[in-house]
Amino acid sequence: RLKGYFKVSRTTGRPDATVLSLYRDYGIVPKDSRSDNHNVTSLDTSKYKFVEVGDFVVNKMKGWQGSMALSAYEGIVSPAYHVFKFISPLLLPKYAHYLLRCRSYADEWHKLSTGLRVGQWDLHVEDFLNTRIPVPSLDEQRRIADCLDEECVEIDRAVSAAEQSIEEYRAYQNDVVKRAIVYGTCNAFKVKESGVPAIGKMNASWGLVMVKRLAVFLNGDRSDSYPSGDDIQESGIPFITSGDLNGRYLPDVFSKYISQDKYDSLKGVKLRRGDVVFCLRGSVGKCSLNRTENCGTVASSLTVARPICCAPEWLSYALTCSSTTNQAMATAIGATSANLAANVLARAFVPLPPLSEQRLIADYLDEKCTQIDAAIAAKQAIIADLKAYEQSLIYETVTGKREV
C-alpha cells in the first residue's frame, strides 16, 4: 500500500514562495511559466501548501485524469492539492511518478474519487494511501525510470515539433485572413493608410466603417432566468457555449441543451440564420456562423452579431480577424486577453469592400482555411497517436509487461 511509502505534508505559511501549477501533460511547473492557466491565485496564499523538490503532488479533483506528479520545483500549491513526502528508500520517486500517472492507475483514481459533478470529484487521502502498487527491486525501478526518461523525451520532442507546426499553421492562417480582409483577393491594388494602427495600410478603393454600422450585437439572457446547471439536459433547444465554436459553422450537435419552456422564458437573443456567434471571454475571437433557423440561444460568454448590411460569411471572417480583435482589446479599459465586451467590439473599424467582393473574399478564405485546417488536423492526429503510444509504453513498462 502507498501508505508504506508516502506521508501527507500539510506545511503552510509560505505566502512568498513561487506559486506552482500541476498539469496532466507537463507535471508541476511555476504558474507564471505558462499562459494557458486561467485559475486565479488567491490574494491570501498563506494557506497554500508548501512543496519541496522531490515531493509528490496530487490534484484531488483531477487525480482521475492523471493530474499528479513528482515536483522538480520548490513552491506552493492550492489547498485543493494533496502533498506527499517519500518515507521509504524502497520506492524510487521517479518510478512512482510514472507508475501512478499511468492509465491503469487513472482508472483506479476514477473509481475511488467521489462527488456529484465531473471536475469536482474528490480523491481522499486515505483512499489514495490505501491503494496497492507493484514494487519491483530498486534496480528494476531504476532501469524502468531510466528507460522511460529516454523514450518519453523522444516522444515529447516529436509532440513539441508537431505542436510548433500547428502554431505556425495558425499564424499563417491569421495572416491569410488579415490580408484578405484588409486588401482583398486581387494581386493588383492600390493602398492607403487606414489611420488605425491595428489595420495599417488597406485597399485604397474601400471605405472604413465601424462594425456597429454593419451588424447589431445581441446577448443571451443575463437575468434571473439564465439557465442553471439544473436546466441543462441532453436534448432539446441548443444552449450554445464557447466549446461549440470549433469550426467555420455552428455544429449539428451541441454540448448543452435546454427545454422548450426554458427557452421560451428567456428574453435574450434567439438565433436566426446568418447570425455570427462570437466568443467574448476565454477563447476571445472564436467565431462560428449559424446556417439554420431556430438554433437556440447563447451563454453569457458569447455575443451574436446579426448582419444588417453585409454578407454574413464575410462578417464572420472580419470579426475574427486579428486587426479587428486587436483593436477591441486595445481600447477596452481594464480588459484582458480573456475578456471582452460586445459594445467595445462593435466600435472596432473594418475595411468595407462592396457586397459582391465580400462574397468573393469569403469564398476565397473558405478554400484557403479549409486547406490549412486539414494540415492542422493531420498534425493533431499525429500528436494524439504519439500520446497514446506514450501512455501505452508507460503502462506496459511500469507493470512489467515490457522488458527493459
Side-chain angles (χ1 to χ4, degrees):
R1 297 180 189 275
L2 280 170
K3 64 184 178 183
Y5 306 95
F6 282 159
K7 72 173 182 180
V8 181
S9 175
R10 294 188 174 91
T11 304
T12 58
R14 299 289 294 271
D16 297 327
T18 301
V19 178
L20 305 175
S21 288
L22 175 55
Y23 288 81
R24 180 181 56 192
D25 294 330
Y26 309 112
I28 291 280
V29 297
K31 185 175 187 293
D32 59 8
S33 68
R34 297 187 61 85
S35 60
D36 55 354
N37 187 334
H38 304 302
N39 293 330
V40 178
T41 302
S42 173
L43 294 177
D44 179 11
T45 57
S46 61
K47 294 183 180 179
Y48 275 41
K49 295 178 181 178
F50 182 58
V51 177
E52 294 184 287
V53 174
D55 285 351
F56 195 80
V57 183
V58 177
N59 182 335
K60 66 179 182 179
M61 291 190 293
K62 295 185 178 180
W64 58 278
Q65 294 180 335
S67 191
M68 55 183 68
L70 185 69
S71 180
Y73 297 93
E74 179 179 287
I76 53 177
V77 294
S78 163
Y81 291 1
H82 298 315
V83 180
F84 299 96
K85 292 188 177 297
F86 289 85
I87 58 174
S88 171
L90 299 180
L91 181 64
L92 192 68
K94 200 59 177 289
Y95 168 74
H97 170 83
Y98 283 119
L99 174 70
L100 298 177
R101 286 163 53 91
C102 81
R103 68 186 186 198
S104 57
Y105 274 99
D107 292 340
E108 186 69 11
W109 310 137
H110 185 281
K111 182 179 72 175
L112 292 174
S113 296
T114 59
L116 296 177
R117 292 186 180 180
V118 176
Q120 297 180 353
W121 289 343
D122 196 346
L123 177 61
H124 295 285
V125 167
E126 296 76 13
D127 292 330
F128 180 78
L129 292 178
N130 278 318
T131 301
R132 295 180 181 274
I133 61 169
V135 185
S137 69
L138 278 175
D139 178 62
E140 284 185 288
Q141 291 182 46
R142 191 171 291 109
R143 285 190 290 122
I144 287 171
D146 290 345
C147 172
L148 289 175
D149 277 348
E150 182 177 346
E151 298 246 10
C152 290
V153 163
E154 292 298 320
I155 296 170
D156 292 344
R157 186 177 292 123
V159 169
S160 295
E163 289 174 338
Q164 179 61 34
S165 292
I166 289 174
E167 292 305 310
E168 291 168 0
Y169 278 128
R170 285 177 173 155
Y172 172 59
Q173 188 173 54
N174 288 336
D175 289 343
V176 168
V177 172
K178 182 178 179 181
R179 180 175 177 82
I181 292 299
V182 172
Y183 297 127
T185 59
C186 297
N187 293 324
F189 54 85
K190 293 182 179 181
V191 299
K192 66 181 179 182
E193 287 292 342
S194 67
V196 179
I199 297 175
K201 290 183 171 61
M202 59 175 279
N203 193 310
S205 64
W206 297 351
L208 193 68
V209 63
M210 278 189 179
V211 175
K212 67 181 181 180
R213 304 298 181 191
L214 306 174
V216 58
F217 283 83
L218 306 165
N219 297 317
D221 192 311
R222 298 182 180 180
S223 69
D224 292 340
S225 298
Y226 188 82
S228 65
D230 294 336
D231 295 314
I232 303 302
Q233 50 191 46
E234 294 183 356
S235 62
I237 306 297
F239 181 67
I240 299 165
T241 67
S242 60
D244 297 314
L245 309 186
N246 292 319
R248 173 90 168 98
Y249 302 102
L250 286 179
D252 296 325
V253 178
F254 298 90
S255 57
K256 295 181 179 180
Y257 295 86
I258 54 177
S259 68
Q260 183 69 52
D261 288 344
K262 185 64 181 177
Y263 176 72
D264 292 339
S265 73
L266 298 177
K267 297 181 175 62
V269 62
K270 307 293 175 68
L271 285 177
R272 298 177 186 171
R273 185 190 299 272
D275 285 349
V276 180
V277 183
F278 185 94
C279 184
L280 295 171
R281 294 198 296 274
S283 302
V284 172
K286 285 175 66 175
C287 202
S288 293
L289 182 64
N290 178 37
R291 296 184 294 180
T292 63
E293 295 291 348
N294 303 321
C295 191
T297 188
V298 300
S300 60
S301 61
L302 309 179
T303 189
V304 172
R306 181 164 291 166
I308 51 178
C309 59
C310 64
E313 298 80 6
W314 170 84
L315 179 63
S316 66
Y317 281 117
L319 287 179
T320 197
C321 180
S322 60
S323 63
T324 307
T325 55
N326 287 348
Q327 286 180 70
M329 295 310 309
T331 58
I333 299 174
T336 69
S337 60
N339 197 0
L340 192 60
N343 62 346
V344 174
L345 177 64
R347 293 196 296 271
F349 286 93
V350 292
L352 183 63
L355 190 61
S356 60
E357 200 165 351
Q358 291 176 27
R359 296 193 176 100
L360 288 175
I361 291 170
D363 290 344
Y364 166 80
L365 288 176
D366 277 352
E367 181 179 355
K368 294 291 291 185
C369 291
T370 296
Q371 295 171 357
I372 299 169
D373 287 342
I376 290 174
K379 290 293 182 182
Q380 290 172 331
I382 290 172
I383 291 172
D385 287 346
L386 286 168
K387 289 185 175 180
Y389 170 67
E390 184 175 43
Q391 284 298 312
S392 178
L393 174 70
I394 292 171
Y395 165 71
E396 292 181 1
T397 305
V398 296
T399 55
K401 294 178 176 62
R402 178 193 293 258
E403 285 193 47
V404 297

